[in-house]
Amino acid sequence: EAQVTQNPRYLITVTGKKLTVTCSQNMNHEYMSWYRQDPGLGLRQIYYSMNVEVTDKGDVPEGYKVSRKEKRNFPLILESPSPNQTSLYFCASSRQGSEAFFGQGTRLTVV
Amino acid sequence: AQSVAQPEDQVKVAEGNPLTVKCTYSVSGNPYLFWYVQYPNRGLQFLLKYITGDNLVKGSYGFEAEFNKSQTSFHLKKPSALVSDSALYFCAVRGLIGGSYIPTFGRGTSLIVHP
């Protein structure tokens, strides 16, 4: 089954404690991206990757890091999480110019 | 820069009535346009897309959308709404930025279909 898998689904952490949200896709898509969804603000792109070892900033990259060492994986790293990074995060993948497949989301709370 | 506007935060319709969720866009070159739906506690699901060809695009669950180049719009429609259509709907455009097709999403429109 074609899918994008994110883990964990839910995470509560404390300010400053490094965390990683994993994302994996099994469709051999070149393009992967991370979004955060906040009430009234819709989806905002954090980082995206056009292919292995090619990443670029989206609209709200501050406080986040990503890597793309393999085509299927695109982890999101928060080196020092802060409460304003409390949000619902989505990973997505697609072929160039085609529709995106989204993960189920990760609800992160930073206290 | 490309952008997507969904002018209504919320649309309410009665079950059985037609529904329209509006979307306008701004992009350089020919747009790739998409609609997605998000049910509570779920990720976004693809509904339909316009790449080229017929301006009326049919998608999943009886939804359709009309591409209007002169008005730069891509409104989502359904002839007869169901209560189960209640969800959050996102319009998106993919335009060519720096040689790559980068997507931009609207803020979303909450559709409420009441019995």
Side-chain angles (χ1 to χ4, degrees), chain A residues 63-74:
Chain A
Y64 304 95
K65 282 175 57 177
V66 293
S67 67
R68 189 92 181 271
K69 294 187 171 68
E70 306 164 279
K71 200 170 187 179
R72 64 183 292 124
N73 295 323
F74 191 47

Side-chain angles (χ1 to χ4, degrees), chain A residues 9-10 31 33 35 37 40-43 45 48 50 59 88 90 94-105 107, chain B residues 9 32 34 36 38 41-46 48-49 51 88 90 94 96-97 99-108:
Chain A
R9 291 290 309 278
Y10 302 92
Y31 184 88
S33 56
Y35 298 88
Q37 184 178 18
L41 297 176
L43 280 176
Q45 191 174 56
Y48 64 93
M50 301 307 304
D59 300 318
L88 180 58
F90 288 102
S94 67
R95 298 199 186 286
Q96 271 269 36
S98 191
E99 67 269 22
F101 289 75
F102 283 81
Q104 293 284 61
R107 189 168 291 281
Chain B
D9 289 335
Y32 290 5
F34 304 85
Y36 296 85
Q38 184 183 29
N41 300 313
R42 302 289 299 273
L44 278 71
Q45 298 174 36
F46 168 72
L48 52 79
K49 66 182 176 185
I51 304 294
L88 191 55
F90 289 93
R94 291 189 85 143
L96 208 55
I97 298 177
S100 300
Y101 280 96
I102 306 299
T104 299
F105 284 81
R107 290 192 173 188

Side-chain angles (χ1 to χ4, degrees), chain B residues 30-65:
Chain B
N30 294 322
Y32 290 5
L33 293 157
F34 304 85
W35 276 102
Y36 296 85
V37 60
Q38 184 183 29
Y39 297 103
N41 300 313
R42 302 289 299 273
L44 278 71
Q45 298 174 36
F46 168 72
L47 268 182
L48 52 79
K49 66 182 176 185
Y50 173 84
I51 304 294
T52 186
D54 195 350
N55 289 347
L56 185 64
V57 179
K58 294 189 184 297
S60 307
Y61 313 121
F63 284 93
E64 56 190 29

Side-chain angles (χ1 to χ4, degrees), chain A residues 5-20:
Chain A
T5 304
Q6 287 178 236
N7 280 297
R9 291 290 309 278
Y10 302 92
L11 180 59
I12 300 175
T13 190
V14 296
T15 298
K17 186 177 181 181
K18 181 180 178 180
L19 66 91
T20 299

